[in-house]
Amino acid sequence: MGSSQSVFSEQELNDYQDLTYFTKKEILHVFKRYKDLYEDSADENNKKTSSLDKDKILKLPELKVNPFSDRIVKVFSSSGDGNMTFEDFLDMMSVFSDGAPKNVKVEYAFRIYDFDEDDMISDQDLKEVVDRLTGEQNLSKDEMQQLIDNILEEADLDDDDSLSFAEFEHVISKAPDFINSFRIRL
C-alpha cells in the first residue's frame, strides 16, 4: 500500500484542482475518505477508476443524517444509479465544500429537490421536500397544502404552480443560511 500521493500523477492532481474547489492536499484527503469507504477492496489503484456502491457512500456520517442522501448520491452519480466513481465523489464533496460558490450550490440543490427530474420543482416535489424535512412531525393534509401554497405564492413568479430554476434561485438568494446548510466539512 503506497501513499495516496503516489496514486495520482502530478498532472492528475493539477487537473482535479482545476475542476474542483479544492487544493491538492484536500483532494488527497477526499481520496482517503473515498478509499476508507471501500473497506476491503484489494487494489488501491483500482479505487480511482472503479465505482463505489451507493450503500457504502451512504455510510458517510454527513449523508447518514441528511434526509436527501438518496437524491444527493443519485444527482452526483455519473451512472445515475447512485454508485459513484472517485470523480463523482470528488465532484460531490467539492460542491458541498466551503469553497464552492453559491450559484453552484443552488444549481445542485435545485437538481436534488427536483424529484421527478422534469427541470421544474412542482407542488409534488415541494411536498416531498417538506415531508423529508419534517420527518416524524408529519403535517396534516391542510397544513401541507397551506405551506406549499405559501411557498408558491412567494416564489412562483409566473403563476404556473411550479418553480423554474430562476424562481428557485431567486428564493434561495433570500435565504441567508442556505450556504451554511449546504456543505460537508472535510
Side-chain angles (χ1 to χ4, degrees), residues 7-122:
V7 172
F8 298 105
S9 70
E10 192 61 30
Q11 185 58 52
E12 284 176 309
L13 280 174
N14 288 336
D15 291 347
Y16 285 145
Q17 194 174 4
D18 290 345
L19 296 170
T20 66
Y21 303 102
F22 288 136
T23 64
K24 290 176 188 172
K25 185 177 177 184
E26 289 169 326
I27 291 165
L28 294 172
H29 183 76
V30 170
F31 182 70
K32 183 185 179 323
R33 291 201 68 190
Y34 181 78
K35 192 174 74 170
D36 289 348
L37 292 172
Y38 250 92
E39 295 156 354
D40 54 5
S41 184
D43 178 19
E44 185 171 297
N45 285 318
N46 204 22
K47 292 175 188 167
K48 267 185 0 189
T49 55
S50 60
S51 194
L52 190 57
D53 186 79
K54 74 177 178 192
D55 294 333
K56 290 190 180 199
I57 293 160
L58 291 171
K59 288 180 181 175
L60 265 182
E62 298 88 345
L63 289 179
K64 264 188 196 175
V65 298
N66 190 310
F68 301 97
S69 58
D70 62 316
R71 288 290 306 153
I72 292 168
V73 295
K74 187 172 187 339
V75 165
F76 283 96
S77 166
S78 56
S79 59
D81 59 6
N83 297 338
M84 287 189 182
T85 64
F86 170 66
E87 289 183 358
D88 295 339
F89 187 78
L90 183 63
D91 195 26
M92 175 184 75
M93 296 299 276
S94 179
V95 168
F96 279 98
S97 73
D98 287 336
K102 186 174 185 178
N103 65 315
V104 171
K105 292 178 180 286
V106 170
E107 180 186 330
Y108 278 92
F110 183 83
R111 291 174 56 193
I112 290 164
Y113 298 154
D114 180 15
F115 287 87
D116 58 11
E117 299 177 7
D118 64 352
D119 294 327
M120 297 292 279
I121 296 181
S122 65

